Tab-separated table of all heavy atoms in Angstrom:
chain	number	residue	atom	x	y	z
A	341	ARG	N	22.848	100.011	133.217
A	341	ARG	CA	24.047	100.823	132.954
A	341	ARG	C	25.299	99.956	132.996
A	341	ARG	O	26.216	100.135	132.196
A	341	ARG	CB	24.144	101.940	133.991
A	341	ARG	CG	25.352	102.855	133.829
A	341	ARG	CD	25.482	103.788	135.005
A	341	ARG	NE	26.766	104.482	134.989
A	341	ARG	CZ	27.269	105.141	136.033
A	341	ARG	NH1	26.586	105.203	137.186
A	341	ARG	NH2	28.443	105.741	135.938
A	342	CYS	N	25.327	98.999	133.916
A	342	CYS	CA	26.476	98.083	134.012
A	342	CYS	C	26.613	97.260	132.738
A	342	CYS	O	27.723	97.089	132.213
A	342	CYS	CB	26.314	97.154	135.213
A	342	CYS	SG	26.363	97.985	136.817
A	343	LEU	N	25.494	96.740	132.242
A	343	LEU	CA	25.537	95.926	131.034
A	343	LEU	C	25.947	96.775	129.829
A	343	LEU	O	26.708	96.318	128.964
A	343	LEU	CB	24.190	95.261	130.794
A	343	LEU	CG	24.137	94.211	129.673
A	343	LEU	CD1	25.196	93.135	129.884
A	343	LEU	CD2	22.758	93.572	129.584
A	344	ASP	N	25.462	98.019	129.778
A	344	ASP	CA	25.879	98.932	128.709
A	344	ASP	C	27.392	99.122	128.729
A	344	ASP	O	28.041	99.167	127.673
A	344	ASP	CB	25.184	100.285	128.863
A	344	ASP	CG	23.717	100.247	128.468
A	344	ASP	OD1	23.342	99.350	127.699
A	344	ASP	OD2	22.952	101.118	128.933
A	345	GLU	N	27.956	99.233	129.916
A	345	GLU	CA	29.403	99.426	130.054
A	345	GLU	C	30.159	98.189	129.569
A	345	GLU	O	31.189	98.307	128.884
A	345	GLU	CB	29.749	99.701	131.523
A	345	GLU	CG	31.217	99.910	131.811
A	345	GLU	CD	31.743	101.247	131.301
A	345	GLU	OE1	30.928	102.167	131.093
A	345	GLU	OE2	32.972	101.371	131.120
A	346	VAL	N	29.658	97.008	129.899
A	346	VAL	CA	30.303	95.772	129.453
A	346	VAL	C	30.245	95.666	127.932
A	346	VAL	O	31.229	95.285	127.284
A	346	VAL	CB	29.634	94.542	130.110
A	346	VAL	CG1	30.170	93.249	129.507
A	346	VAL	CG2	29.868	94.552	131.614
A	347	ILE	N	29.098	96.012	127.356
A	347	ILE	CA	28.944	95.964	125.906
A	347	ILE	C	29.909	96.928	125.228
A	347	ILE	O	30.477	96.623	124.174
A	347	ILE	CB	27.486	96.269	125.505
A	347	ILE	CG1	26.566	95.142	125.971
A	347	ILE	CG2	27.354	96.477	124.001
A	347	ILE	CD1	25.088	95.431	125.778
A	348	GLN	N	30.124	98.095	125.832
A	348	GLN	CA	31.041	99.064	125.243
A	348	GLN	C	32.493	98.615	125.384
A	348	GLN	O	33.323	98.887	124.523
A	348	GLN	CB	30.852	100.436	125.906
A	348	GLN	CG	31.487	101.582	125.154
A	348	GLN	CD	30.953	101.740	123.732
A	348	GLN	OE1	29.769	101.544	123.483
A	348	GLN	NE2	31.839	102.076	122.800
A	349	ARG	N	32.816	97.903	126.481
A	349	ARG	CA	34.184	97.419	126.699
A	349	ARG	C	34.568	96.350	125.684
A	349	ARG	O	35.694	96.330	125.196
A	349	ARG	CB	34.305	96.814	128.116
A	349	ARG	CG	34.518	97.815	129.216
A	349	ARG	CD	34.407	97.155	130.585
A	349	ARG	NE	35.249	95.968	130.736
A	349	ARG	CZ	36.562	96.002	130.977
A	349	ARG	NH1	37.180	97.155	131.060
A	349	ARG	NH2	37.248	94.883	131.138
A	350	HIS	N	33.637	95.468	125.383
A	350	HIS	CA	33.937	94.321	124.519
A	350	HIS	C	33.257	94.530	123.166
A	350	HIS	O	32.037	94.358	123.042
A	350	HIS	CB	33.444	93.027	125.161
A	350	HIS	CG	34.085	92.738	126.486
A	350	HIS	ND1	35.261	92.022	126.603
A	350	HIS	CD2	33.706	93.070	127.750
A	350	HIS	CE1	35.581	91.925	127.892
A	350	HIS	NE2	34.660	92.551	128.593
A	351	GLU	N	34.027	94.854	122.152
A	351	GLU	CA	33.460	95.181	120.849
A	351	GLU	C	32.710	94.009	120.233
A	351	GLU	O	31.789	94.209	119.433
A	351	GLU	CB	34.560	95.657	119.894
A	351	GLU	CG	35.589	94.594	119.556
A	351	GLU	CD	36.682	95.096	118.623
A	351	GLU	OE1	36.913	96.327	118.592
A	351	GLU	OE2	37.315	94.255	117.951
A	352	ILE	N	33.068	92.789	120.606
A	352	ILE	CA	32.423	91.615	120.038
A	352	ILE	C	30.926	91.601	120.345
A	352	ILE	O	30.130	91.067	119.571
A	352	ILE	CB	33.089	90.308	120.558
A	352	ILE	CG1	32.542	89.082	119.820
A	352	ILE	CG2	32.891	90.164	122.059
A	352	ILE	CD1	32.860	89.065	118.360
A	353	LEU	N	30.520	92.214	121.460
A	353	LEU	CA	29.104	92.256	121.830
A	353	LEU	C	28.338	93.273	120.998
A	353	LEU	O	27.110	93.355	121.089
A	353	LEU	CB	28.953	92.577	123.321
A	353	LEU	CG	29.543	91.533	124.279
A	353	LEU	CD1	29.338	91.962	125.722
A	353	LEU	CD2	28.933	90.160	124.039
A	354	ARG	N	29.056	94.056	120.186
A	354	ARG	CA	28.413	95.018	119.279
A	354	ARG	C	28.537	94.566	117.820
A	354	ARG	O	28.372	95.364	116.902
A	354	ARG	CB	29.058	96.401	119.461
A	354	ARG	CG	28.772	97.033	120.820
A	354	ARG	CD	29.448	98.375	120.992
A	354	ARG	NE	30.796	98.235	121.552
A	354	ARG	CZ	31.913	98.595	120.931
A	354	ARG	NH1	31.860	99.109	119.715
A	354	ARG	NH2	33.087	98.448	121.520
A	355	ALA	N	28.854	93.300	117.625
A	355	ALA	CA	29.137	92.795	116.286
A	355	ALA	C	27.869	92.406	115.537
A	355	ALA	O	26.842	92.064	116.127
A	355	ALA	CB	30.074	91.590	116.373
A	356	TYR	N	27.972	92.465	114.213
A	356	TYR	CA	26.985	91.885	113.309
A	356	TYR	C	27.734	91.425	112.064
A	356	TYR	O	28.923	91.756	111.878
A	356	TYR	CB	25.874	92.875	112.966
A	356	TYR	CG	26.326	94.107	112.211
A	356	TYR	CD1	26.161	94.223	110.833
A	356	TYR	CD2	26.902	95.186	112.892
A	356	TYR	CE1	26.566	95.355	110.144
A	356	TYR	CE2	27.314	96.325	112.212
A	356	TYR	CZ	27.147	96.411	110.839
A	356	TYR	OH	27.556	97.531	110.163
A	357	PHE	N	27.068	90.662	111.211
A	357	PHE	CA	27.765	90.004	110.105
A	357	PHE	C	26.976	90.205	108.810
A	357	PHE	O	25.776	89.971	108.771
A	357	PHE	CB	27.936	88.508	110.399
A	357	PHE	CG	28.692	88.249	111.673
A	357	PHE	CD1	28.044	88.286	112.898
A	357	PHE	CD2	30.047	87.990	111.643
A	357	PHE	CE1	28.737	88.069	114.076
A	357	PHE	CE2	30.753	87.763	112.807
A	357	PHE	CZ	30.101	87.810	114.027
A	358	ARG	N	27.680	90.649	107.777
A	358	ARG	CA	27.025	90.870	106.493
A	358	ARG	C	27.896	90.324	105.362
A	358	ARG	O	29.067	90.002	105.566
A	358	ARG	CB	26.732	92.356	106.279
A	358	ARG	CG	27.964	93.244	106.235
A	358	ARG	CD	27.554	94.709	106.177
A	358	ARG	NE	28.722	95.590	106.109
A	358	ARG	CZ	29.334	95.938	104.992
A	358	ARG	NH1	28.903	95.458	103.832
A	358	ARG	NH2	30.372	96.756	105.005
A	359	ILE	N	27.308	90.223	104.186
A	359	ILE	CA	28.011	89.706	103.019
A	359	ILE	C	28.687	90.862	102.285
A	359	ILE	O	28.063	91.881	102.017
A	359	ILE	CB	27.048	88.973	102.075
A	359	ILE	CG1	26.382	87.802	102.792
A	359	ILE	CG2	27.791	88.475	100.843
A	359	ILE	CD1	27.341	86.715	103.203
A	360	GLU	N	29.957	90.680	101.980
A	360	GLU	CA	30.711	91.680	101.225
A	360	GLU	C	31.548	90.945	100.175
A	360	GLU	O	32.384	90.117	100.522
A	360	GLU	CB	31.614	92.480	102.172
A	360	GLU	CG	32.197	93.737	101.550
A	360	GLU	CD	32.944	94.575	102.576
A	360	GLU	OE1	32.294	95.418	103.231
A	360	GLU	OE2	34.164	94.389	102.727
A	361	ASN	N	31.291	91.250	98.913
A	361	ASN	CA	31.977	90.563	97.811
A	361	ASN	C	31.803	89.046	97.902
A	361	ASN	O	32.738	88.280	97.658
A	361	ASN	CB	33.464	90.923	97.795
A	361	ASN	CG	33.698	92.404	97.551
A	361	ASN	OD1	32.973	93.035	96.788
A	361	ASN	ND2	34.711	92.967	98.210
A	362	GLY	N	30.618	88.641	98.283
A	362	GLY	CA	30.298	87.230	98.331
A	362	GLY	C	30.795	86.493	99.559
A	362	GLY	O	30.608	85.272	99.660
A	363	LYS	N	31.417	87.201	100.489
A	363	LYS	CA	31.952	86.561	101.688
A	363	LYS	C	31.432	87.254	102.948
A	363	LYS	O	31.196	88.465	102.939
A	363	LYS	CB	33.482	86.595	101.674
A	363	LYS	CG	34.117	85.781	100.553
A	363	LYS	CD	35.638	85.825	100.656
A	363	LYS	CE	36.283	84.993	99.555
A	363	LYS	NZ	37.767	85.004	99.638
A	364	PRO	N	31.269	86.487	104.034
A	364	PRO	CA	30.808	87.126	105.279
A	364	PRO	C	31.927	87.946	105.915
A	364	PRO	O	33.085	87.533	105.936
A	364	PRO	CB	30.439	85.926	106.165
A	364	PRO	CG	31.304	84.812	105.673
A	364	PRO	CD	31.447	85.033	104.197
A	365	VAL	N	31.576	89.125	106.395
A	365	VAL	CA	32.531	89.972	107.097
A	365	VAL	C	31.905	90.414	108.415
A	365	VAL	O	30.685	90.525	108.532
A	365	VAL	CB	32.945	91.205	106.267
A	365	VAL	CG1	33.713	90.797	105.026
A	365	VAL	CG2	31.725	92.042	105.897
A	366	GLN	N	32.763	90.670	109.372
A	366	GLN	CA	32.303	91.093	110.686
A	366	GLN	C	32.371	92.616	110.787
A	366	GLN	O	33.371	93.220	110.426
A	366	GLN	CB	33.163	90.447	111.776
A	366	GLN	CG	32.722	90.778	113.186
A	366	GLN	CD	33.454	89.930	114.226
A	366	GLN	OE1	32.965	89.747	115.328
A	366	GLN	NE2	34.612	89.397	113.888
A	367	GLN	N	31.298	93.211	111.265
A	367	GLN	CA	31.240	94.652	111.476
A	367	GLN	C	30.929	94.915	112.947
A	367	GLN	O	30.322	94.087	113.624
A	367	GLN	CB	30.158	95.285	110.592
A	367	GLN	CG	30.399	95.100	109.098
A	367	GLN	CD	31.573	95.919	108.604
A	367	GLN	OE1	31.757	97.076	108.984
A	367	GLN	NE2	32.397	95.316	107.751
A	368	ILE	N	31.348	96.097	113.420
A	368	ILE	CA	31.141	96.456	114.821
A	368	ILE	C	30.422	97.799	114.898
A	368	ILE	O	30.865	98.788	114.303
A	368	ILE	CB	32.480	96.560	115.582
A	368	ILE	CG1	33.286	95.260	115.457
A	368	ILE	CG2	32.234	96.907	117.064
A	368	ILE	CD1	32.695	94.064	116.131
A	369	TYR	N	29.309	97.841	115.613
A	369	TYR	CA	28.654	99.118	115.869
A	369	TYR	C	29.513	99.939	116.834
A	369	TYR	O	29.996	99.407	117.839
A	369	TYR	CB	27.278	98.904	116.482
A	369	TYR	CG	26.222	98.397	115.527
A	369	TYR	CD1	25.660	97.140	115.682
A	369	TYR	CD2	25.784	99.196	114.463
A	369	TYR	CE1	24.683	96.673	114.810
A	369	TYR	CE2	24.817	98.734	113.590
A	369	TYR	CZ	24.271	97.480	113.767
A	369	TYR	OH	23.316	97.021	112.891
A	370	PRO	N	29.720	101.246	116.565
A	370	PRO	CA	30.499	102.079	117.504
A	370	PRO	C	29.893	102.082	118.907
A	370	PRO	O	30.601	102.009	119.906
A	370	PRO	CB	30.452	103.468	116.869
A	370	PRO	CG	30.161	103.231	115.427
A	370	PRO	CD	29.289	102.010	115.375
A	371	THR	N	28.580	102.164	118.965
A	371	THR	CA	27.843	102.068	120.229
A	371	THR	C	26.600	101.219	119.974
A	371	THR	O	26.171	101.052	118.825
A	371	THR	CB	27.425	103.448	120.768
A	371	THR	OG1	26.604	104.104	119.777
A	371	THR	CG2	28.642	104.299	121.084
A	372	LEU	N	26.034	100.711	121.038
A	372	LEU	CA	24.843	99.873	120.912
A	372	LEU	C	23.863	100.257	122.009
A	372	LEU	O	24.142	100.086	123.202
A	372	LEU	CB	25.214	98.391	121.032
A	372	LEU	CG	24.097	97.383	120.755
A	372	LEU	CD1	23.590	97.511	119.323
A	372	LEU	CD2	24.582	95.962	121.007
Side-chain angles (χ1 to χ4, degrees):
R341 180 189 169 195
C342 294
L343 189 54
D344 286 337
E345 180 72 21
V346 172
I347 293 173
Q348 195 59 37
R349 278 171 52 79
H350 299 271
E351 65 181 24
I352 188 64
L353 297 180
R354 292 178 271 117
Y356 64 101
F357 302 82
R358 62 186 181 87
I359 300 295
E360 193 173 272
N361 297 324
K363 295 182 179 181
V365 294
Q366 183 170 203
Q367 299 290 318
I368 304 293
Y369 287 114
T371 58
L372 187 62

